[in-house]
Amino acid sequence: MSAFDELTESFSRLPGIGKKSAVRIVNHLLKQDAFEAQKFAQRLSVLHEKIKPCSICGTWTENDPCPVCSDGLRDTSIICVVEQPQDVGTIEAYKEFRGLYHVLGGLIKPLEGIGPDQLSIAKLADRIREGNVQEVIVATNPTVEGDTTALFINKIITEQFGDRGIKVTRLATGIPVGGDLEYIDKRTLSLSFRGRTSF
């Protein structure tokens, strides 16, 4: 396999990039001067070295704890639970939510062997136990797996912290069933937060 084909194969493994897009990307890189290609390669090579999960919430960060967790002006009584680190960036971009986050690292998918123990649900319970949390917003995507995970989180919080009266809410309608937070427009996401409902 040639160097061109190897790089095309690597790019085509990325989400949302098919074979044709991968070929276009490689051709674009070849048109750039060598210095630009080297800068691109350098940035890729240090990605895992510079960016790590936040030790508190689990989102990607260069500084630990992340800017959200270390911001003393955030509302520590509300935690928004999301599936992946990129969901934090999506919500933060709209500047509507001023609480904290917790990244699960996936969803409960029994058919793929992913259960609650593979997610950071126990860590979420620890954060609730140690903090002054009054509300947990479950912002998993409205899919079968997202709903299953949300119901499990509600069950855990109800069982372990029922005496504290912690409210567990879900984002309101407006996000289409099977939709993805990453592709939701600002107004829809804003209305979903304002109209969130209890379990």
Side-chain angles (χ1 to χ4, degrees):
M1 188 181 279
S2 69
F4 186 98
D5 291 336
E6 286 178 351
L7 193 53
T8 300
E9 174 70 20
S10 295
F11 277 118
S12 67
R13 288 195 202 115
L14 297 172
I17 297 180
K19 182 81 170 170
K20 287 183 180 179
S21 295
V23 169
R24 280 197 297 271
I25 291 169
V26 175
N27 277 309
H28 174 77
L29 289 171
L30 287 170
K31 289 176 190 173
Q32 303 281 315
D33 62 47
F35 178 72
E36 286 300 318
Q38 285 168 358
K39 273 201 325 190
F40 180 75
Q42 173 66 19
R43 288 173 185 148
L44 268 179
S45 69
V46 299
L47 190 65
H48 285 277
E49 179 187 318
K50 288 191 170 183
I51 301 174
K52 305 282 185 194
C54 173
S55 59
I56 298 173
C57 72
T59 195
W60 299 127
T61 184
E62 286 192 43
N63 301 305
D64 192 17
C66 72
V68 172
C69 290
S70 57
D71 183 351
L73 299 177
R74 304 292 293 213
D75 184 352
T76 59
S77 70
I78 304 175
I79 293 180
C80 180
V81 178
V82 295
E83 178 185 346
Q84 298 292 350
Q86 60 263 32
D87 297 329
V88 173
T90 299
I91 296 169
E92 278 297 286
Y94 299 138
K95 304 187 186 310
E96 288 282 332
F97 179 68
R98 294 298 303 156
L100 300 176
Y101 295 95
H102 187 82
V103 178
L104 294 172
L107 297 173
I108 296 172
K109 297 179 181 179
L111 294 178
E112 295 177 26
I114 303 172
D117 293 341
Q118 280 76 51
L119 308 178
S120 65
I121 295 174
K123 190 171 182 180
L124 172 64
D126 290 340
R127 289 182 71 188
I128 294 169
R129 192 172 294 109
E130 295 162 8
N132 66 328
V133 179
Q134 295 170 21
E135 181 180 2
V136 174
I137 303 169
V138 183
T140 52
N141 291 317
T143 59
V144 171
E145 293 89 354
D147 290 342
T148 300
T149 305
L151 288 168
F152 184 83
I153 290 169
N154 180 56
K155 178 174 176 280
I156 290 293
I157 293 172
T158 302
E159 286 176 357
Q160 295 187 20
F161 309 103
D163 58 332
R164 284 176 49 180
I166 295 171
K167 187 163 59 167
V168 184
T169 57
R170 190 93 163 97
L171 293 186
T173 54
I175 296 178
V177 172
D180 197 312
L181 277 179
E182 196 173 349
Y183 305 107
I184 303 301
D185 64 274
K186 179 178 180 178
R187 176 153 175 76
T188 300
L189 187 61
S190 173
L191 291 172
S192 295
F193 265 97
R194 291 179 195 167
R196 59 188 183 270
T197 54
S198 296
F199 279 81

